[in-house]
Amino acid sequence: MKKQIFIAALSLGAISLGTDLVLAQNSEQVSKSVNIILSDVIAMDLGSAASEGSVDFNYGSTKDYNSSKNVTVPNSLVIISSKNFDVKVKSEGTHFVSGANLIPVDVLQVKAIPGGSVVGTMNEVTLSTADQVLVSNANSGAKQSLNITYSISAEKASKVLLGKPQGTYTQKVTYTATAL
């Protein structure tokens, strides 16, 4: 009888171990770590370009020299930034140049205006070679557009531009977006 009890216990044990072993073979867990690695980014592209990337002020009559002129470029800049940011503006030189003829850059006002998707404090600045904040603390985001208006007042047109030799006076204006 002892022999039968031993065989029954051994059989039950084998069945029990065999079942556990089968379960272990049919189920297995493995854990993996998934990482999302973020970097701060900021980029700026020219949006819509007026006259193939240039902003033109035409003075062809006495009326032009006696009135203010404004040129608005919608979606002038398109910005993507993972952080809030500032946009600064400056000229590359002190004068608009046409050959040997010069017009000081401070004849031009540059203003960020509402209507694009950039949300921040919009400013108007007199163009100079120093970086000046055009938009401050703009919200982070993708494909944000900034509308910019360029202006020459009637006073500056009549006092600074009138009397200069005819020609196309050119100066490069540089925009910089800086993450905060």
Side-chain angles (χ1 to χ4, degrees), residues 115-154:
S117 56
V118 169
V119 177
T121 303
M122 307 283 180
N123 300 306
E124 181 175 19
V125 300
T126 300
L127 190 60
S128 75
T129 57
D131 268 329
Q132 297 179 76
V133 178
L134 190 62
V135 179
S136 61
N137 199 28
N139 291 342
S140 62
K143 293 187 178 180
Q144 296 187 86
S145 61
L146 179 61
N147 298 337
I148 298 176
T149 295
Y150 302 85
S151 303
I152 298 175
S153 69

Side-chain angles (χ1 to χ4, degrees), residues 45-118:
D45 294 316
L46 291 175
S48 69
S51 303
E52 298 176 355
S54 66
V55 176
D56 295 330
F57 286 88
N58 292 307
Y59 289 86
S61 69
T62 55
K63 181 180 177 187
D64 290 334
Y65 288 97
N66 289 312
S67 60
S68 294
K69 288 192 173 251
N70 300 303
V71 177
T72 299
V73 181
N75 305 316
S76 188
L77 302 174
V78 178
I79 303 160
I80 179 173
S81 181
S82 59
K83 289 185 167 186
N84 285 9
F85 61 93
D86 287 345
V87 175
K88 296 179 181 174
V89 62
K90 71 176 182 176
S91 64
E92 289 188 8
T94 57
H95 292 87
F96 290 92
V97 178
S98 178
N101 303 308
L102 306 174
I103 295 172
V105 293
D106 66 1
V107 72
L108 185 68
Q109 297 290 118
V110 181
K111 183 177 183 180
I113 60 170
S117 56
V118 169

